[in-house]
Amino acid sequence: MIAAPPERVWDVYADVERWPEWTESVTSVERLDSGPLTVGSRARIVQPKLPRAVWTVTELEPGRHFVWVSKAPGLTTVGGHYVHPDGEGSRATARLDQTAMLGAVVGRLTRGLTNRYLQMEVQGLKSWCERMP
């Protein structure tokens, strides 16, 4: 559980350019458009040990979740980021699915790193949101 209201958690999660401030799983994020995160928004992300990738938001319910997709030859990666009310606080979850021709192979090869990064993401989000005034 995150000891912060869902609105605060969502505001931090949806401000993707600032992710490097609160999670070590992301080195840099460059928005390729401006304004609030919406369906169609794109961002170039650099992560340690992974190739640079462009992610496009395909689904968004403000205050609740967004899903984005990154494509490479033979590989489609779908990342989901969710915020849920939980008592007087919140709960955040993140998931990553890899599909297309190479999805199963890449998924198996990177499973450990992927799981560590997802855990770093939600733990960093929790720590950041709980420290905010």
Side-chain angles (χ1 to χ4, degrees):
M1 184 175 95
I2 301 173
E7 298 80 17
R8 177 186 307 164
V9 177
W10 172 257
D11 287 345
V12 172
Y13 225 175
D15 188 0
V16 297
E17 284 185 298
R18 295 188 65 190
W19 283 19
E21 296 177 23
W22 52 263
T23 180
E24 293 181 19
S25 65
V26 176
T27 306
S28 70
V29 178
E30 175 191 2
R31 282 284 303 274
L32 302 178
D33 44 50
S34 59
L37 202 64
T38 62
V39 171
S41 291
R42 295 175 40 209
R44 181 177 296 115
I45 298 182
V46 177
Q47 295 182 270
K49 302 180 184 180
L50 294 173
R52 178 182 319 253
V54 173
W55 292 82
T56 303
V57 176
T58 58
E59 183 182 321
L60 181 133
E61 183 180 340
R64 303 289 296 196
H65 76 273
F66 73 93
V67 175
W68 54 8
V69 175
S70 179
K71 294 187 177 193
L75 179 65
T76 299
T77 305
V78 179
H81 309 276
Y82 306 88
V83 177
H84 312 277
D86 188 359
E88 294 185 24
S90 309
R91 185 170 31 92
T93 55
R95 76 177 279 159
L96 194 78
D97 296 304
Q98 294 174 312
T99 62
M101 187 172 59
L102 298 176
V105 173
V106 171
R108 276 194 304 277
L109 292 174
T110 62
R111 180 177 296 134
L113 181 65
T114 296
N115 288 339
R116 277 195 309 278
Y117 281 5
L118 291 173
Q119 190 64 23
M120 289 169 75
E121 182 180 310
V122 295
Q123 287 301 318
L125 180 65
K126 172 182 169 54
S127 295
W128 186 267
C129 291
E130 288 179 348
R131 284 196 314 261
M132 293 175 70

